[in-house]
Every structure is written in structure tokens, then in C-alpha cells.
Amino acid sequence: MADDMAENRAEGEQRAAISDKEALLFHSRGRPGKLAVIASKPMATQRDLSLAYSPGVAAPVLAIAKDPSAAFDYTTRGNMVAVITNGTAILGLGDLGALAAKPVMEGKAALFKRFADIDSIDLEIDAKEVDAFVNAVRYLGPSFGGINLEDIKAPECFVIEERLRDLMDIPVFHDDQHGTAIISAAGMLNALLLTGRDIREAKLVCNGAGAAGIACLDLAKAMGFDPRNVILCDTKGVVYRDRQEGMNQWKSAHAVDTTARTLAEALEGADIFYGLSVKGALTPDMLRSMADNPIVFAMANPDPEITPEEARATRADVIIATGRSDYPNQINNVLGFPYIFRGALDVRAKTINMEMKIAATKALADLAREDVPDEVANAYRGARPRFGRDYIIPAPFDPRLISIIPPAVALAAMDTGVARRPIVDMKAYRAELSARRDPIAGLMQTIHERVRRDPKRVVFAEGEEEQVIRAALSFVHQGFGRAVLVGREDRVKEAAANAGLELPAEIEIHNARLSSRNSVYAQFLFERLQRKGYLMRDCQRLINQDRNHFAAAMVAQGDADAMVTGVTRNFSHALEDVRRVVDHKPGHRVIGASIILANGRVVVVADTAITEMPDAHELAEIAIEAAGVARRIGLVPRVAMLAFSTFGYPPGERTARVHQAVNVLDQRRVDFEYEGEMGADIALNKDLMSAYPFSRLTETANVLVMPAFHSAAISTKMLQELGGATVLGPLIVGLDKPIQIVQLGATDTEIVNMAALAAFGVGG
């Protein structure tokens, strides 16, 4: 069956042998295990401790006693899931006991956090008897927003889940059952679509009557399969009506009238095989007996009922999925449980019902049909998957999962009356979800909305590159405006066709050499450069052959509103090209500014790209430009002029420029808070800043002006690599036209974000 072993393998990686020694070292090095508890509130001062515990904790205690629902507001309950097991069915290893299950449960808890930002704790209960286990779990309700049951053997798992659902008013979800069912059903819907089958007429045979097998059939029937067309098999053969041997109430619910008594007989003419059993259960002869275009979900792990190689050697028309990450179409539970719980928690659902499972299934199936972003292609080592026989299920690292599955689950919960806190603004909820996985998404949401209200015509200079074409498509599809791709039309269309992309009317292709505006741009460039050693033929060659010059001329001459480039050329060279065509804005200075997102804070850092060693007046100008960026992204600027010393100590020659820059700002009478010279720790830590009561900053700084280009570039890159910060930029600020340069080799998502920032005019 599809189990958690699959969840811990990266999608698209080739199966590699992992030694026991390597695995043990992974789990033991540093702090043993895979989890740690980190306080979400400051604990630095005595006052912090008083607020966190006694006496401050009394206030929320009394509030919750008065209104139990307040626990969701004042505690972790609303974002906390317990992963619980008794270790009676650990992976494919069997009953090894509760303690042996702990590494798996820790891993599950880590996946909740990694994929859906849900806090989770693992609980291993040493109780194999149903009554004892249920009684141990039922009283935990006040601590958690949901219960994820895991690795509990059948049939006890059915009884345990059913009883806990009745006893608790929070979602109880046995992932071995429902997670596998949901992911496989999503793939099945797409396989039916690709083979032109009607779900009401398709014949399905399931081999394996354990927790996952039963759940798969329950969901399949709920989604539209005719019960008469569904056959369940176990180790004793077909589960037929009136069979006595090896039966229980859950198998009996799927017993059918049939003359078939073996798996081989049941599969004759069948459309779909669900395998949740053992290696080799599906033989080549059985596969040959199935209908045309057979659909095979061989989900036994680590070795499927039939390997894809053997299946394709037997039937060229087969569509096959497995639980393995080294084959296409992986049935991976991590596609389901984090996002299902996310949606359920966010509406404070009382349970996870069948309608919510179906909603998750359909959302997953729909997502697999969409064009995939670069993040997914990177997981496949650059081989971009497309919807088809080898891609019927989304990749686990698709960043869109968190903004698509939880809203579908939440809506179903609201529609069926199990949501205690309905979501009013679903659009805002989707944006909030995206920000949980991608901090930039939260920052960009306001900018995206502004651009949609005033769409722009943006030119993408490197229009023959696949990721640039994808970015232009995304720009148009998100309603940001029209896109212009600079390139040879045949090359652009060929690259798009090879990527399986269709270019809509909102995307134009401009060949620089053949453009009707070519001579106008060349003359314009010559007038700018004729006294800088350039002849007319030089300018004509630049317009004909260099897409940055052509694209920048389009913007300069008003034929486009903004421009983005940089995918194929480093930042410095691209900026040189642009500055031959576009001047700085009168009264402004051209700088590079980076936006840092870390620990819930947004900070603008400058100059990170252009001025190598600014003097005092230049530092003041940089501060003014950076404050403008902060304002445009919605911050009230508080500028710290950074140095290695703070207010004169320790003294140093290099800090004099920074001190003088503050004096220049005094003379300019700027309309924002600023202070310096000061160390970065003082600027960013309110407690440390309190030692300097004369400081003019009313709060911690959100704009940091570095004393030199090298310190800015080094610190932002170090933050990104070591500090877990997200860095957006450098953004070009102060040009007379809105032009932005991405980093060399940027992904389509990064290009779209920079194009939106250019359209928004973040650079001034």
C-alpha cells in the first residue's frame, strides 16, 4: 500500500540504496530525532516571562473558562495536530510496537510543518486493545485541533477511527485509509479522462482488503462508481456475497454477486486495478486479460504488485501508478493529509467528512492538468512533466498545492455544516495560504492587486527562453496585462510548442531586426550615444542584435510600459545595456535595493547592487531612495544608517562617512525617521536600542542603509543561505523608466514577480 516511506523521498529522485548506518546517523546526529519545540513569543526579559506564564497567563485561562472556543485564539490548539499510533502496522514492517513507531511519527509531524505550516506532535500509545487505545486518545481533544491516526492494523483501525469520530468534536483522520484513497482517486479520475472512460461504467478490481483498500473502495463508490462494477479481493480470493471465510463487516459491505472467485478471474475485462497488497500480486497474464488501455495502481511498498517496466513490456497501452518516487505517478500521501488538515483547521471543522475528501480529490486531479511551474521541473531534474499518461498526479513539491487543496476542503466543510468558523473572503484566504509556504507571496499580494487594477504592457527581453515564455503566460493569465516577447518568432513558437504551451493573443512577439520601429529606436539610441564614441552603425547593431537595447528602447519610446530581463546575462552587464538607453529619474539616484523577509519581518536593504563605496552625500541619497521603496510596498520607513560602530563607539575612520550622511539628512529635512551610525543588532533589536534613549527611531528599523556595496551584497546573501531569510531583488530604483533585472537563471515565478514589480513601479 501507499505508506509513509514514500512521503520521505523527494519527488523525481532516482531510487538510491540507503544504508542502515546512513539512516541511523541521519536520525542521531546533532539533536537526536527530527523535531524540536520553539517558542513563538519572545522570552528575553522578565516581563516576557511574566506575560508568558505567571501572572500573565491567568487572563487567557479565565477567558477560555468562560468561552471554550477562545482556546483557538489564545493557544496553539487551532494549528496543532496529534499524530497518534500504537505501532501495530508500521510501514510495511508489521507490528513492532509503539516505541518503534516513533521515528515514523516524528517524520509525519515534520511533514505537517514542512508542507502546510501545521504544528504537530507525535504520540505513541502502548495499547493494542481497541478500548484502551480509544480511552487514551478520546480525552486529548482539548489539546489539539485534529487527530491523525497512523500505522494501526486492520480491522482495529476501522473501529478506533469510528469510535473516536463519535466521541470527539475535532477531525479524526486515519491517513493510511483516507490519504491513500484520496491520492489514488485523484489519479484515477485523470486516468479515466485520458482513456475516455465513464466512471459510472468503469470496472474496478481492488486487491487488498486492509485499511487502505476498504477506504479506496468507499471513496470510489462515493464519487460515482457503480457498486456492481467494483470487486474486492483479499488473500482468500474474491469477496463475494455469502462468503464465510475470513470475512468482517467492512469486507461484507463490498461483497458482490459474481461467479469470479480468484483475482485472475475478476480481472478479465477489468478497466482498473487497485493494488494494496504484496509484491508480484499482478502477473503479466492478469494484465493481458484486462480491457484496452488498462489503468493499474500498483501501490504495495516498497515493491509494487507489478513494476512499471514489466507492465509496459506486457501492455504498451497501460497507465501505471505506484507508491514509489523513482517512477512516474507516485501515490504519495503527502499530497493529501497536510492540506486536508489545513483546510479543516482553518474553518475549525468538527470532522472530516466524505464531501471534504471528494473536494480534495477533485482539486488534486484538476491541478495535475495545469502547466507546472519551475519548482516542479526542478524536482524532476529539469524534465518538466506534462499532464498525460506519466503525469496524472501533481508533484509533492508543487507550491500551488497549499493554495488549492485547503480552500476546496474548507468550502466543502462550510457547505456541509461541519465548519464552526466559515471563511468569508476566500480570495484573501488563498493569498494567506500561499504566504505560509512562500513569504514573498504575502508581500506580493497587494502589489498584484494594484497591477490588476491598472494592467500594463511589459516587455520580456529574453523571449526565446522557455522560463521567460512561461513567465509571460503567467503574467497574462494572472491578469497583470499584456506581454511582449522579444525574439525570433519561429524560435519563440518552437520553444513554446516544445514546452506544450499555447500563446494567447495577449502575448506579442517582436523580432528586433524586423520590427517596424527598428529605425526609430536606432536613431534614438544614436542621439544618446553619438558623443560617447558610437557611430550610427554601432547603434543599429545594438538594436538589431541585443534584445536588452531593443526592449529598453521600446520602454523609452513609450511602446511598452515596463521591462524585465536578466535570465541569460549577469546583473551588471544587463544594467549597462539598460543604462545606455534609459537615464536616471531627474532628482533621483539609481541604486539597488533588496527586500528581506525573515521571521515575519520585512526589511529593505540598500545599496545592494550599484554604488560600490558611497560618500556621505551618496549614502544620504541612497537612504532617501530606499525609504521610497519602503513606502511603495506599504511600510512606514524607519531608516538605520549602519556601521560597525554605534554612536561613536568604537571609533573608526570608516564610520565618519555614515555619521556625516546623517548630518546631510538633517539638512535635507526628509519626511521619514532615520538614525545612525549604528550596528545592525541595535537597529533591529528594540531591547538593545533602549540603551540609547536619544535614538530618533520610534521602533526597530525596516530600512537598512549599508556603508558599502560589498557589505550589503555579502550580508543579504549570507542571510539567505544561513539565516533562512527570503530575499527579493536587487530591485533597480531611480531609473526614469520601470525596468527590473532578475538574477541569472531565474525561475518563471521569480520572473513574474519581478515583472509585476516593474509594472507596479516599485523602483520609483
Side-chain angles (χ1 to χ4, degrees):
M1 61 183 280
D3 55 40
D4 290 350
M5 291 178 75
E7 295 166 9
N8 292 291
R9 300 188 186 105
E11 180 70 23
E13 289 182 353
Q14 295 298 311
R15 184 173 175 83
I18 297 175
S19 69
D20 289 347
K21 181 178 180 180
E22 182 184 5
L24 292 172
L25 284 172
F26 174 85
H27 286 83
S28 64
R29 67 175 177 248
R31 180 179 297 185
K34 299 184 287 290
L35 300 177
V37 175
I38 299 175
S40 61
K41 300 294 187 294
M43 299 286 177
T45 68
Q46 182 61 47
R47 183 172 181 79
D48 292 339
L49 296 179
S50 297
L51 286 167
Y53 197 55
S54 181
V57 76
V61 166
L62 294 173
I64 294 168
K66 183 178 180 180
D67 176 12
S69 68
F72 290 100
D73 300 315
Y74 299 124
T75 75
T76 61
R77 189 185 185 206
N79 196 54
M80 179 69 75
V81 168
V83 179
I84 305 180
T85 189
N86 61 4
T88 53
I90 305 174
L91 304 176
L93 304 173
D95 182 355
L96 299 180
L99 185 59
K102 188 170 177 62
V104 183
M105 300 306 109
E106 283 186 358
K108 190 85 171 191
L111 293 176
F112 267 112
K113 189 65 177 179
R114 165 64 177 82
F115 288 98
D117 193 26
I118 292 174
D119 296 318
S120 181
I121 190 168
D122 61 293
L123 299 173
E124 293 73 35
I125 296 177
D126 191 11
K128 296 183 181 181
E129 301 78 13
V130 169
D131 288 345
F133 187 90
V134 168
N135 284 330
V137 176
R138 64 177 294 191
Y139 299 112
L140 297 174
S143 297
F144 302 101
I147 302 293
N148 184 101
L149 300 174
E150 196 79 17
D151 288 0
I152 304 170
K153 73 182 182 70
E156 288 89 339
C157 62
F158 303 123
V159 181
I160 287 170
E161 184 188 41
E162 185 176 328
R163 287 179 57 181
L164 288 174
R165 284 165 62 97
D166 290 339
L167 291 166
M168 305 180 80
D169 67 344
I170 57 175
V172 177
F173 184 85
H174 185 206
D175 188 49
D176 294 321
Q177 295 180 56
H178 310 300
T180 301
I182 289 164
I183 314 311
S184 58
M188 178 266 297
L189 286 178
N190 282 333
L192 290 174
L193 177 67
L194 289 167
T195 57
R197 289 182 167 97
D198 186 334
I199 194 171
R200 295 165 297 182
E201 299 175 1
K203 181 180 177 183
L204 186 156
V205 175
C206 177
N207 190 49
I214 296 294
C216 283
L217 294 196
D218 286 340
L219 182 57
K221 292 177 181 179
M223 295 190 68
F225 271 90
D226 187 331
R228 295 170 296 181
N229 293 334
V230 178
I231 295 178
L232 175 64
C233 298
D234 62 9
T235 56
K236 302 185 184 306
V238 172
V239 175
Y240 57 89
R241 202 174 300 279
D242 298 326
R243 194 183 97 171
Q244 301 299 313
E245 187 180 10
M247 295 295 287
N248 57 44
Q249 67 186 82
W250 298 279
K251 293 182 186 179
S252 296
H254 296 288
V256 294
D257 289 320
T258 178
T259 58
R261 292 295 181 264
T262 66
L263 175 62
E265 292 172 356
L267 280 169
E268 291 179 8
D271 298 298
I272 305 164
F273 170 78
Y274 266 17
L276 298 127
S277 50
V278 295
K279 174 184 178 181
L282 180 66
T283 67
D285 286 340
M286 293 178 189
L287 180 56
R288 289 189 192 98
S289 73
M290 293 179 68
D292 290 343
N293 292 302
I295 299 167
V296 173
F297 282 55
M299 296 178 277
N301 246 332
D303 298 305
E305 285 81 359
I306 189 170
T307 66
E309 293 91 344
E310 190 175 15
R312 292 194 178 98
T314 304
R315 294 284 298 264
D317 60 346
V318 68
I319 293 178
I320 184 166
T322 71
R324 291 256 298 259
S325 64
D326 52 337
Y327 293 122
N329 299 328
Q330 184 193 8
I331 308 298
N332 191 333
N333 284 14
V334 81
L335 289 163
F337 69 85
Y339 311 111
I340 293 165
F341 269 100
R342 181 75 275 159
L345 290 173
D346 291 340
V347 294
R348 298 181 187 172
K350 302 173 186 176
T351 187
I352 295 174
N353 57 29
M354 183 61 76
E355 291 81 0
M356 294 160 75
K357 298 172 197 172
I358 292 173
T361 300
K362 291 181 177 178
L364 276 168
D366 290 344
L367 180 59
R369 299 169 197 170
E370 297 182 12
D371 184 47
V372 303
D374 281 348
E375 290 88 341
V376 176
N378 292 340
Y380 281 80
R381 297 185 178 180
R384 187 179 301 274
R386 298 184 207 163
F387 177 61
R389 289 172 172 263
D390 287 335
Y391 191 74
I392 57 175
I393 303 165
F397 289 100
D398 193 320
R400 299 168 297 179
L401 286 162
I402 195 167
S403 61
I404 290 176
I405 311 305
V409 172
L411 279 170
M414 292 156 58
D415 291 343
T416 55
V418 299
R420 285 176 284 202
R421 190 186 68 173
I423 294 169
V424 177
D425 188 342
M426 193 57 66
K427 186 176 181 181
Y429 175 54
R430 290 190 179 94
E432 175 192 327
L433 289 168
S434 295
R436 283 183 178 272
R437 280 287 304 275
D438 179 8
I440 288 176
L443 172 69
M444 293 298 297
Q445 184 62 27
T446 302
I447 292 170
H448 286 169
E449 288 302 318
R450 289 274 299 275
V451 175
R452 288 190 186 99
R453 288 198 294 269
D454 185 18
K456 301 295 185 182
R457 188 168 184 245
V458 174
V459 55
F460 294 76
E462 298 143 309
E464 295 178 7
E465 303 301 315
E466 182 182 322
Q467 69 263 48
V468 176
I469 298 171
R470 290 183 180 281
L473 271 170
S474 180
F475 184 87
V476 168
H477 289 161
Q478 292 188 60
F480 299 149
R482 300 179 67 86
V484 177
L485 293 172
V486 178
R488 291 160 291 187
E489 187 170 5
D490 58 335
R491 296 287 183 90
V492 174
K493 290 184 174 179
E494 181 183 4
N498 290 340
L501 305 174
E502 294 185 10
L503 301 181
E506 295 85 356
I507 292 183
E508 307 167 26
I509 303 172
H510 285 229
N511 185 323
R513 184 182 291 276
L514 304 179
S515 171
S516 61
R517 299 283 287 167
N518 180 290
S519 60
V520 174
Y521 297 160
Q523 182 62 39
F524 165 74
L525 188 59
F526 179 56
E527 289 173 4
R528 288 179 55 82
L529 302 180
Q530 59 190 352
R531 293 184 180 275
K532 297 180 181 179
Y534 286 80
L535 301 176
M536 180 63 187
R537 63 174 179 245
D538 299 322
C539 297
Q540 186 69 67
R541 185 168 57 252
L542 288 174
I543 294 296
N544 284 351
Q545 299 179 6
D546 189 275
R547 292 166 192 167
N548 284 339
H549 287 84
F550 180 85
M554 285 189 72
V555 178
Q557 289 293 289
D559 295 331
D561 298 308
M563 166 188 166
V564 63
T565 188
V567 172
T568 62
R569 192 172 299 181
N570 71 46
F571 188 97
S572 301
H573 289 158
L575 183 59
E576 286 176 13
D577 296 341
V578 167
R579 296 199 70 175
R580 289 192 189 98
V581 185
V582 177
D583 291 322
H584 66 275
K585 183 177 290 188
H588 289 263
R589 179 179 191 82
V590 178
I591 69 165
S594 295
I595 300 174
I596 310 294
L597 300 99
N599 300 321
R601 297 167 72 172
V602 179
V603 177
V604 177
V605 180
D607 177 355
T608 54
I610 295 172
T611 311
E612 184 174 355
M613 188 65 72
D615 61 26
H617 286 275
E618 289 170 331
L619 282 170
E621 291 172 354
I622 290 169
I624 293 169
E625 296 295 342
V629 173
R631 278 206 180 94
R632 287 189 285 278
I633 64 173
L635 302 177
V636 176
R638 294 185 298 274
V639 178
M641 310 294 288
L642 297 188
F644 70 83
S645 66
T646 298
F647 301 123
Y649 185 83
E653 182 181 338
R654 289 181 177 269
T655 64
R657 291 180 298 110
V658 183
H659 182 79
Q660 291 165 13
V662 175
N663 293 335
V664 173
L665 290 173
D666 290 340
Q667 296 164 12
R668 297 280 292 269
R669 297 185 179 180
V670 296
D671 59 349
F672 54 83
E673 292 182 17
Y674 59 92
E675 188 56 282
E677 73 283 4
M678 61 173 61
D681 53 345
I682 308 298
L684 297 172
N685 187 311
K686 191 171 185 178
D687 290 331
L688 296 178
M689 191 183 291
S690 65
Y692 305 93
F694 53 84
S695 172
R696 289 177 283 192
L697 296 183
T698 58
E699 253 295 347
T700 55
N702 54 22
V703 178
L704 305 179
V705 176
M706 295 288 183
F709 172 10
H710 60 266
S711 56
I714 291 169
S715 60
T716 52
K717 290 174 182 176
M718 188 182 301
L719 270 173
Q720 191 169 17
E721 294 302 321
L722 296 180
T726 301
V727 179
L728 183 61
L731 306 172
I732 302 175
V733 181
L735 281 177
D736 199 29
K737 298 292 181 180
I739 295 173
Q740 294 298 336
I741 301 173
V742 300
Q743 296 296 300
L744 196 67
T747 66
D748 53 359
T749 301
E750 292 166 339
I751 300 167
V752 172
N753 281 336
M754 203 63 88
L757 286 164
F760 174 70
V762 74

